[in-house]
Amino acid sequence: MQVYKFGGASIANPVQMQQLVPIIQSAETPLIIVLSAYGKTTNALEAIALACKSHEVEEAKKLAKQLEQAHIDYALQLLSTDNYDAIFPHLNALFTELEWAIDDFNHQNFDYSYDQVVCIGELLSSRIFAAYLNQLQLSTTWIDARDLIRTDTTFRDAKVDWKQTEKQVLELCMQAMQNTIVLTQGFIGATSDNASVTLGREGSDYTAAILASILNASAVSIWKDVEGLLNADPKQFKATQKIELISYSEVIEMAFYGAQVIHPKTIKPLQNKNIPLHVKCFLNPELKGTTIQNEVSQIQYPPIIVLKKQQVLLQVTTRDFSFITEDNLSKLYQVFHQLRIKINLIQNAAISFIACIDHKEDQIEAIIAALEADYKITRNENAHLLTIRHYDNTIIEELTKDTVCLLQQKTRSTIQLVLQAV
């Protein structure tokens, strides 16, 4: 049994959805497909949620109607009249669910309401794709991921209840897989009282890993618009190199430092079951791609580069000149944790604590408000965080020219630098 995950770029338009069919036809069976929302649908749904947050209900409903029409047009380009008529009640039910989410928007709990809105994208795209595959006589069973993935109530970044999720996945998927392709959604799940949740951005990869782990899949394939896993983001760096074989631990390091290729939570369920993960190109399925597996020996990796832009370097200094030891560190970590602020790089000296974080002004204001009574806080803006694994002096010099280094940390395999342009 295999799990295939197709992201939004792979179904950005009806033509691209059609081009996935040969990939599916050539797959080993049983097959589970995990699908994202198409194109920029999630961004459009986020705009609806933000309009609701700003009490612009009419604008939110206008945007929802535009999204509804876009999905109707998408479906009409793929489906025969009879198949479209058969699927429309399911699509209409989802349009109605979106309307309810707008009407019932809870301004006291934005994260909850955000998830009720944003989850609709994957449900719409997967309904259309399932209908299209069935039209082509590729027998496909559509399953709502909210009936599979049980979570807690941490909306927008839900934690999986593995015991209940395993029970639901085995009940709903095992029988369906015997005779049909199973098609479900990435990124979403539900709480015990059936409130929709999301697993965090790029959570579709995580969904694929959850299902693969529970069902003991032979492999997971993530289909992207790149030829495989690259050593750097090709949008940021020239002359990137494809990595054909890489270990779970190396990818976890990449994810920890901010690489966006594989979701950080995806690797652990696969590593636990020793399930290989393939990163393949849907534009050219014949390309070898990249395999991520448990052990990789005698591999010479190229420098692996991760660049995080729009960073702020905060220096937190005790006002009473007390040392930054365990008591102060515990307090500082707790404040960052309570405010859900991720620290990308930390360093502490005798009386100061330095943290590199994403430049989100609301979070910066919140951390200053929480700490300014006991600490003096200064900050450097317009910074970026450069991480290089398997570095050498040549690559460091090349990537740091015309910059000033605000902070550096270095180990045998990894160097991190907080930089500003000169």
Side-chain angles (χ1 to χ4, degrees):
M1 191 275 288
Q2 295 187 88
V3 178
Y4 278 8
K5 179 261 176 174
F6 294 108
S10 68
I11 54 169
N13 55 60
V15 172
Q16 287 189 206
M17 182 176 279
Q18 290 173 319
Q19 292 172 346
L20 299 183
V21 173
I23 296 174
I24 294 167
Q25 290 174 321
S26 64
E28 296 177 8
T29 56
L31 177 65
I32 291 184
I33 297 173
V34 175
L35 199 68
S36 296
Y38 82 73
K40 300 295 183 182
T41 298
T42 301
N43 291 338
L45 287 162
E46 285 184 332
I48 292 170
L50 291 172
C52 291
K53 183 180 181 181
S54 301
H55 299 277
E56 298 172 359
V57 177
E58 291 307 312
E59 176 66 14
K61 290 185 175 181
K62 175 185 173 183
L63 294 172
K65 283 297 181 184
Q66 292 173 356
L67 194 67
E68 176 181 332
Q69 189 60 52
H71 281 81
I72 290 172
D73 293 343
Y74 192 114
L76 285 170
Q77 292 183 58
L78 290 167
L79 302 176
S80 68
T81 300
D82 288 346
N83 284 321
Y84 176 77
D85 290 344
I87 193 182
F88 183 75
H90 298 297
L91 297 179
N92 195 50
L94 293 170
F95 299 146
T96 301
E97 188 175 336
L98 178 56
E99 291 175 13
W100 290 344
I102 293 171
D103 289 336
D104 297 337
F105 199 87
N106 185 343
H107 291 86
Q108 281 66 53
N109 191 346
F110 174 73
D111 288 349
Y112 164 82
S113 290
Y114 172 98
D115 277 1
Q116 310 320 298
V117 170
V118 170
C119 74
I120 300 298
E122 277 72 13
L123 295 162
L124 288 168
S125 64
S126 61
R127 273 292 187 190
I128 294 169
F129 198 22
Y132 179 60
L133 292 176
N134 279 312
Q135 178 175 285
L136 298 176
Q137 307 302 313
L138 291 170
S139 181
T140 302
T141 298
W142 182 91
I143 298 179
D144 191 329
R146 296 175 297 183
D147 294 329
L148 297 175
I149 309 297
R150 175 63 58 80
T151 74
D152 68 0
T153 57
T154 308
F155 295 100
R156 298 184 71 180
D157 191 19
K159 308 300 184 291
V160 173
D161 177 341
W162 278 89
K163 183 176 180 180
Q164 185 61 28
T165 296
E166 180 175 8
K167 178 176 181 292
Q168 294 175 173
V169 168
L170 292 175
E171 286 179 355
L172 292 174
C173 290
M174 289 299 289
Q175 183 173 356
M177 284 192 306
Q178 301 308 311
N179 301 306
T180 67
I181 296 166
V182 170
L183 195 153
T184 190
Q185 310 79 42
F187 182 54
I188 66 174
T191 66
S192 59
D193 59 358
N194 291 321
S196 300
V197 297
T198 61
L199 305 178
R201 291 302 294 261
E202 308 303 325
S204 293
D205 293 354
Y206 186 35
T207 302
I210 293 167
L211 298 177
S213 177
I214 291 172
L215 295 168
N216 294 308
S218 59
V220 174
S221 295
I222 296 176
W223 294 87
K224 305 176 80 67
D225 57 359
V226 293
E227 58 183 302
L229 191 66
L230 305 178
N231 71 316
D233 185 344
K235 297 176 183 177
Q236 295 177 324
F237 298 95
K238 298 178 181 179
T240 57
Q241 301 177 53
K242 188 183 81 171
I243 303 170
E244 292 193 352
L245 187 62
I246 190 170
S247 69
Y248 292 130
S249 59
E250 189 66 37
V251 172
I252 288 171
E253 292 281 351
M254 292 173 66
F256 176 79
Y257 293 121
Q260 298 298 309
V261 179
I262 304 296
H263 192 282
K265 295 181 288 190
T266 299
I267 300 300
K268 186 60 177 173
L270 302 178
Q271 187 177 28
N272 288 346
K273 294 288 186 74
N274 197 20
I275 298 170
L277 172 63
H278 304 297
V279 180
K280 300 276 286 181
C281 181
F282 63 81
L283 298 172
N284 190 348
E286 301 305 316
L287 292 176
K288 187 176 180 180
T290 298
T291 297
I292 305 166
Q293 61 186 42
N294 202 21
E295 293 296 333
V296 177
S297 60
Q298 298 179 339
I299 293 291
Q300 187 70 37
Y301 293 118
I304 295 175
I305 305 161
V306 180
L307 180 65
K308 291 179 69 70
K309 296 184 177 180
Q310 296 182 318
Q311 299 292 292
V312 174
L313 196 64
L314 295 180
Q315 180 166 324
V316 181
T317 306
T318 54
R319 292 189 180 277
D320 62 0
F321 294 99
S322 59
F323 289 141
I324 298 289
T325 52
E326 287 79 4
D327 289 344
N328 269 314
L329 284 173
S330 177
K331 177 181 178 180
L332 290 167
Y333 284 136
Q334 186 65 27
V335 173
F336 277 91
H337 173 71
Q338 289 173 346
L339 296 174
R340 298 177 69 177
I341 299 174
K342 182 179 182 295
I343 302 175
N344 299 322
L345 183 66
I346 59 173
Q347 185 168 296
N348 67 283
I351 61 171
S352 65
F353 172 91
I354 300 171
C356 180
I357 64 173
D358 296 341
H359 192 166
K360 297 178 180 177
E361 197 59 37
D362 58 335
Q363 290 188 341
I364 294 171
E365 290 174 1
I367 197 71
I368 290 174
L371 296 177
E372 62 183 352
D374 298 320
Y375 302 91
K376 177 184 176 182
I377 302 172
T378 57
R379 60 178 174 173
N380 293 96
E381 299 182 356
N382 302 316
H384 55 269
L385 174 61
L386 176 67
T387 303
I388 311 171
R389 284 185 57 76
H390 314 294
Y391 62 86
D392 56 40
N393 290 333
T394 301
I395 194 70
I396 294 172
E397 291 174 7
E398 177 184 340
L399 296 181
T400 59
K401 63 184 178 182
D402 301 322
T403 66
V404 58
C405 182
L406 304 177
L407 181 66
Q408 173 181 305
Q409 289 187 359
K410 189 175 182 181
T411 68
R412 291 181 182 178
S413 60
T414 304
I415 185 169
Q416 290 191 279
L417 306 105
V418 180
L419 304 170
Q420 280 183 325
V422 175

